Amino acid sequence: MTEEEKYVTTNWKEIKSTGLNLLYSGKFLNKKIADELLFRLDSEIEYFTGDLSRVKVFGKWHNIPRQQAAFGDEGLTYKFSGLSVPALPWPECLLKLRNEISKCMGTDYNFVLVNRYRNGNDYMGEHRDDEKELDEEAGIVSISLGATRDFVLRHSETRKKGSTSKISNVTIPLEHGSCLVMKKPTNHHWYHSLPRRKGCLHVRINLTFRKVKR
Ligand SMILES: O=C(O)CCC(=O)C(=O)O
Ligand SMILES: [Fe+2]
């Protein structure tokens, strides 16, 4: 098999700071596979509507500023920001990707959260993925498709009022077909967000593969 025909190519770059442990591979997915995945996820996936597309912040309900869907092994639900998300059965294209990623990482991921950002007005606010039901050892594997958007990480100390922390923020432009692995203990100490980018007119789809404890 030539390099071009391989499903994934790992060319990991380590990104480290105090309590931050990331791996990034910019051209992780084969280009043809990345293009096809983007097309399929854009046309075949039904995103949540109704209660599953809203979140409660300080007692008020808001539409989430992006579209979401979740898939996973049978019987799994995943709770985050006041939502309990039932995992729907894996679509064929995501099952294949899940299997390739699990093989590559040597870990069995059983759940994926899909976030679709229609354009630069859609975003994700600052948060940590530190839910108890996540298997920390597995980390979180984040695959990006479509428009390049900045992923911004901030240490919890620097968020505090009057902070004198010297720890710099880390910004990674996540490109089409890339893979970012958030390893332990990143999600204890660092918050991350996907800020608005007014100039961005194109769709981006992000997949976060997780291992939910049964
Ligand atoms: O879209 C992204 O890159 C961020 C996704 C994310 O943080 C999450 O799904 O928890
Ligand atoms: Fe996250």
Side-chain angles (χ1 to χ4, degrees), residues 45-98:
I45 300 281
E46 279 190 45
Y47 292 89
F48 293 145
T49 55
D51 285 349
L52 286 176
S53 62
R54 286 189 273 274
V55 282
K56 206 172 185 177
V57 185
F58 299 120
K60 247 186 92 182
W61 287 95
H62 298 270
N63 288 329
I64 55 166
R66 60 188 178 277
Q67 294 171 291
Q68 268 184 340
F71 303 95
D73 291 352
E74 211 182 320
L76 276 186
T77 53
Y78 177 52
K79 291 178 214 67
F80 69 102
S81 56
L83 286 176
S84 184
V85 180
L88 295 173
W90 294 97
E92 197 188 299
C93 62
L94 286 184
L95 188 60
K96 168 87 176 136
L97 179 60
R98 186 279 295 262

Side-chain angles (χ1 to χ4, degrees), residues 64-182:
I64 55 166
R66 60 188 178 277
Q67 294 171 291
Q68 268 184 340
F71 303 95
D73 291 352
E74 211 182 320
L76 276 186
T77 53
Y78 177 52
K79 291 178 214 67
F80 69 102
S81 56
L83 286 176
S84 184
V85 180
L88 295 173
W90 294 97
E92 197 188 299
C93 62
L94 286 184
L95 188 60
K96 168 87 176 136
L97 179 60
R98 186 279 295 262
N99 293 343
E100 290 288 339
I101 285 171
S102 293
K103 194 168 76 187
C104 176
M105 304 293 165
T107 301
D108 290 322
Y109 296 93
N110 56 12
F111 185 91
V112 68
L113 182 66
V114 183
N115 279 290
R116 181 176 188 271
Y117 305 86
R118 287 158 284 207
N119 53 48
N121 285 321
D122 277 358
Y123 66 97
M124 189 179 290
E126 203 167 54
H127 67 281
R128 291 182 292 190
D129 294 295
D130 59 349
E131 291 82 4
K132 283 191 308 294
E133 58 260 43
L134 286 181
D135 181 337
E136 267 200 276
E137 298 301 326
I140 293 180
V141 179
S142 164
I143 302 289
S144 293
L145 301 163
T148 299
R149 293 278 297 266
D150 283 345
F151 184 78
V152 179
L153 295 122
R154 235 172 15 131
H155 192 278
S156 55
E157 283 302 315
T158 48
R159 300 172 79 243
K160 292 183 182 157
K161 244 196 177 147
S163 158
T164 53
S165 162
K166 299 258 183 325
I167 306 172
S168 306
N169 295 350
V170 174
T171 299
I172 310 168
L174 298 178
E175 58 190 288
H176 179 56
S178 68
C179 179
L180 175 74
V181 188
M182 282 186 268

